[in-house]
């Protein structure tokens, strides 16, 4: 996806996140992030911005930067969030977008971190909107993400983030078709015992997949990130449930 599109999306989602968090108030429960209130949600996102900004200055293979401690007072938290956002956007606007930097695996650049910041903000914007509306963990919020943005978020999760972690003890095997027809996108995720799952564009053989996650790009975006969704899951639901981030 073009960096210009992501830059605009990052800005828009950040503005919407702050507005929803401010209106909801610091002590409002965030049902889509069990155990968190809005204050913790804002703290978390600001910490993510700080780690991303530091990663933009680190060489590939560097360890994860230390997480800075956020303030406790909500007014101070919002100010700290504003500062971390401004710092990150400033660095993203000046650094070489193709320079190799620290990422979760080889191949990371400031472009990949812009993408990560955009979708981290969008999903937590949804969390803040849930809190503001007082919705429970099973209710789907009426907010609709742009299909292009949502499809890019699905792709990032399936191809970049899902394989992370220790899959050595997993005995899961099979294929999951992830389909967002309104965006014209489909992915096939393959699970093999003891190996990280691999995802790529679906081919004609994907119709033989063991499970399918299908719906609008908005619905599938929410589903792969473990948020309330109208996406339909068919086939081996236990296998499909392995595709769910927080």
């Amino acid at each position: 996806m073009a960096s210009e599109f992501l830059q605009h999306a990052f800005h828009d989602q950040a503005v919407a996140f702050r507005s929803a968090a401010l209106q909801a108030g610091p002590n409002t429960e965030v049902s889509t992030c069990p155990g968190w209130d809005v204050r913790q949600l804002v703290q978390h996102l600001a910490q993510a911005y700080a780690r991303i900004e530091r990663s933009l200055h680190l060489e590939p293979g560097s360890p994860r930067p230390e997480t800075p401690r956020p303030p406790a007072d909500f007014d101070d938290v919002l100010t700290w969030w504003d500062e971390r956002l401004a710092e990150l956007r400033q660095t993203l606007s000046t650094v070489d977008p193709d320079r190799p930097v620290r990422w979760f695996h080889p191949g990371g650049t400031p472009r990949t971190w812009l993408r990560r910041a955009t979708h981290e903000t969008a999903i937590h914007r949804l969390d803040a909107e849930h809190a503001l509306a007082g919705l429970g963990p099973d209710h789907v919020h009426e907010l609709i993400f742009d299909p292009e943005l949502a499809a890019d978020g699905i792709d990032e999760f399936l191809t970049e983030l899902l394989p992370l972690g220790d899959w050595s003890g997993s005995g899961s095997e099979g294929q999951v078709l992830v389909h967002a027809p309104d965006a014209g996108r489909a992915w096939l995720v393959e699970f093999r015992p003891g190996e990280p799952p691999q995802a790529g564009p679906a081919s004609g053989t994907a119709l033989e997949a063991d499970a399918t996650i299908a719906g609008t790009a908005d619905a599938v975006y929410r589903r792969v990130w473990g948020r309330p969704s109208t996406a339909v899951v068919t086939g081996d639901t236990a296998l499909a449930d392995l595709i769910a981030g927080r």
Side-chain angles (χ1 to χ4, degrees), residues 54-68:
R54 293 181 182 184
S55 294
L56 293 171
H57 301 285
L58 298 176
E59 296 300 317
S62 299
R64 173 177 169 166
E66 291 187 9
T67 302

Side-chain angles (χ1 to χ4, degrees), residues 85-151:
L85 173 64
E87 182 181 44
L88 174 56
R89 295 193 68 195
Q90 173 63 24
T91 300
L92 284 169
S93 70
T94 56
V95 70
D96 177 357
D98 297 312
R99 182 175 71 86
V101 297
R102 177 197 169 268
W103 180 244
F104 302 111
H105 47 75
T109 68
R111 292 183 193 276
T112 58
W113 280 118
L114 170 60
R115 191 188 200 194
R116 178 83 293 276
T118 300
H119 293 298
E120 185 78 2
T121 304
I123 290 298
H124 289 316
R125 180 258 177 112
L126 179 62
D127 295 328
E129 299 282 3
H130 266 267
L132 176 60
L135 296 176
D138 299 322
H139 289 81
V140 178
H141 195 279
E142 63 183 8
L143 167 70
I144 301 295
F145 287 111
D146 174 84
E148 185 177 2
L149 176 65

Side-chain angles (χ1 to χ4, degrees), residues 131-171:
L132 176 60
L135 296 176
D138 299 322
H139 289 81
V140 178
H141 195 279
E142 63 183 8
L143 167 70
I144 301 295
F145 287 111
D146 174 84
E148 185 177 2
L149 176 65
D152 185 71
I154 298 165
D155 186 79
E156 187 216 22
F157 180 80
L158 296 179
T159 62
E160 296 280 354
L161 304 181
L162 182 62
L164 300 178
D166 183 8
W167 290 88
S168 61
S170 172

Side-chain angles (χ1 to χ4, degrees), residues 4-24:
E4 184 176 357
F5 179 92
L6 287 174
Q7 288 168 357
H8 287 299
F10 182 24
H11 171 76
D12 292 345
Q13 296 300 319
V15 169
F17 170 85
R18 193 187 194 283
S19 175
L22 184 61
Q23 293 179 72

